[in-house]
Amino acid sequence: MTQLSDAIREVLAGFDLPDGGTLVSRDMIRALTTEDGHVRFVIEAPSPEIARVMEPMRAAAERAVAALPGVATVKVALTAHSAPKAPSLKIGGHAQPQEGRMAPPGVKRLIAIGSGKGGVGKSTVSSNLAVALARAGKRVGLLDADIHGPSQPRMFGISRRPASPDGKTIIPLSAHGVTLMSIGFMLPEDKAVVWRGPMLMGALQQMLMQVEWGELDVLLIDLPPGTGDVQLSLGQKSDLTGAIVVSTPQDVALIDAKKALDAFATLKVPVLGLIENMSTFHCPNCGHEAHIFGHGGVAAEASRLGLPVLADLPIDLDTRLAGDAGTPVALGEGPMAQAYATLARRMIDTGVV
C-alpha cells in the first residue's frame, strides 16, 4: 500500500502548475487513501477562483492515477482553502451508533498523550513530537482531543476552517508536515465549548472517524487533562497502540500523573513511557542549571512501575515563544529541536512508531 501511495505521488509530481511548482511540491494533495486498490484523494487549490480553472487538471490527474498498476478505481475531489462547505459537526450532537471499534482507515498506530493535570506542557510536547516525527520521515497526524481547551491551532499557526466537500467527510488541515484536526478550527479562538459528556463524545467520534486522515504511520492524540469522558471513550472504543504520560517533576503534578497511569492501566491501554517536562532550567546568561520544579520525580515513578523515561525536557523560553508564534521549536536546529529529534528517533528505533 505504501508503494502504491509513493507511485501515485510520483505521478502527481509531474503535474506542473501555471505559477510554478507541482501538485506535490505545492502541498495540494490531501487525504490520500489506497484501500484495496481503491484510490481517493483531494486536490486543495489555494482559492475558489483557482479551483474553478483546475477541473481539467483534476480530470487528467484522475486518468493518470487510474493507469497505474494496482489501481482499481480512482475518485478525486477538488476543493479550495477559502469559502469551504462547513463540516457537519453539530454543536451538542451525540455520538452515533457504529459497528466495530473507532479505527480510522489507513492509520497504523494511535498513541494517546496524556497527563493527570493541566499546565505540564502536554500540548507543547504533542505538537513538537509530531513535528519531530514528521521531520524523521514518518507520516504523522495530530488530533487535538482537548475539546474544552484546544491549543493546537495556535501552536501550528492555523486559523482557517477545514473543508467538507460532501457535508459529511471532513478534510483535515496540514502544517509543518503534520495532518491536523481540532475543534479549535471550527470555532472562534475565544469561544467557550460548554458541552456535557455526550456532546464531547459526539465531537470526538466525528473528529476521529469522519476525518479523511489518509495513510498515517501514527496519529497522536493530545488528550485533555485528567481522566474523564474522552480518556474513557478512547480506551474502551478505540484500539490505542499505547499512551505516553507527561508530567513535571514536582509532587503535585506527580500525584495526578499517577492517576493518569492508573486510568490507562484500568482501561488496559499500555503505557509506552513517561516524559519529564520542565525538568531543568539553564540560565541563558551564566549557564547555571536549576531544578525549579524539583528533580527526579518522574524517573523514580517510572522505575517503580518498570517504565522507561522517554525524555527529560528542560523549561525553555524559545519553546514557549515558538509555540505562541505557530512554529513549533522542533522545526529549528537548536538544543530543544535536537531534544525532540532524539525523542522521535528513540520511538522509531524501539518500534513504537
Side-chain angles (χ1 to χ4, degrees):
M1 189 174 290
T2 300
Q3 290 180 344
L4 181 55
S5 297
D6 291 342
I8 292 169
R9 290 190 176 276
E10 185 175 347
V11 166
L12 296 176
F15 283 81
D16 295 319
L17 299 169
D19 55 346
T22 69
L23 288 175
V24 174
S25 69
R26 293 278 293 276
D27 194 27
M28 294 171 69
I29 305 302
R30 296 280 186 270
L32 172 63
T33 62
T34 61
E35 189 173 357
D36 297 326
H38 299 287
V39 178
R40 292 189 299 168
F41 61 90
V42 174
I43 298 175
E44 187 177 65
S47 69
E49 292 75 22
I50 294 176
R52 278 192 283 271
V53 300
M54 285 188 66
E55 173 55 28
M57 183 176 287
R58 184 209 65 80
E62 193 170 74
R63 290 192 298 270
V65 172
L68 288 173
V71 174
T73 63
V74 184
K75 184 178 180 181
V76 183
L78 180 61
T79 186
H81 278 320
S82 58
K85 185 176 180 181
S88 59
L89 186 60
K90 296 180 180 178
I91 301 296
H94 290 195
Q96 299 300 312
Q98 66 175 47
E99 295 182 6
R101 312 279 285 173
M102 289 197 299
V107 177
K108 293 182 179 179
R109 297 174 180 86
L110 295 172
I111 296 179
I113 302 179
S115 64
K117 69 191 302 294
V120 299
K122 167 187 53 61
S123 294
T124 297
V125 170
S126 299
S127 60
N128 282 286
L129 175 57
V131 168
L133 287 169
R135 294 188 76 186
K138 293 296 180 179
R139 296 167 299 179
V140 185
L142 177 58
L143 170 58
D144 187 354
D146 190 352
I147 294 172
H148 282 131
S151 53
Q152 296 304 341
R154 169 60 66 93
M155 291 187 173
F156 278 86
I158 298 179
S159 59
R160 66 183 186 273
R161 190 181 180 98
S164 179
D166 58 4
K168 296 178 181 179
T169 301
I170 302 171
I171 307 301
L173 301 178
S174 179
H176 312 311
V178 179
T179 302
L180 300 159
M181 186 60 205
S182 171
I183 193 68
F185 297 145
M186 318 294 291
L187 301 169
E189 191 174 52
D190 57 354
K191 180 69 173 177
V193 179
V194 187
W195 290 350
R196 295 186 185 276
M199 305 173 194
L200 296 177
M201 296 312 97
L204 177 66
Q205 183 187 57
Q206 286 181 288
M207 290 196 296
L208 193 60
M209 297 304 298
Q210 287 183 222
V211 170
E212 286 281 3
W213 289 107
E215 294 182 18
L216 298 178
D217 295 308
V218 61
L219 175 60
L220 301 179
I221 304 176
D222 180 14
L223 295 175
T227 56
D229 289 324
V230 171
Q231 287 85 342
L232 182 62
S233 289
L234 280 172
Q236 291 179 333
K237 297 180 180 179
S238 67
D239 295 318
L240 289 173
T241 305
I244 296 171
V245 174
V246 179
S247 179
T248 49
Q250 80 268 35
D251 291 343
V252 171
L254 280 166
I255 289 171
D256 291 325
K258 292 175 183 178
K259 294 175 183 175
L261 290 163
D262 182 66
F264 287 127
T266 301
L267 295 168
K268 296 181 172 54
V269 176
V271 176
L272 305 174
L274 282 73
I275 292 176
E276 183 170 281
N277 197 29
M278 308 182 199
S279 179
T280 58
F281 171 70
H282 298 276
C283 177
N285 295 320
C286 68
H288 173 69
E289 180 178 301
H291 300 285
I292 298 174
F293 296 108
H295 182 65
V298 172
E301 182 64 16
S303 177
R304 183 182 73 82
L305 296 172
L307 296 171
V309 176
L310 299 175
D312 294 308
L313 301 171
I315 186 169
D316 175 73
L317 178 60
D318 288 340
T319 301
R320 195 273 294 172
L321 293 173
D324 285 348
T327 54
V329 73
L331 288 167
E333 302 297 336
M336 287 305 299
Q338 184 57 50
Y340 280 106
T342 300
L343 171 59
R345 178 49 55 188
R346 178 174 184 176
M347 293 177 66
I348 293 169
D349 291 345
T350 55
V352 172
V353 177

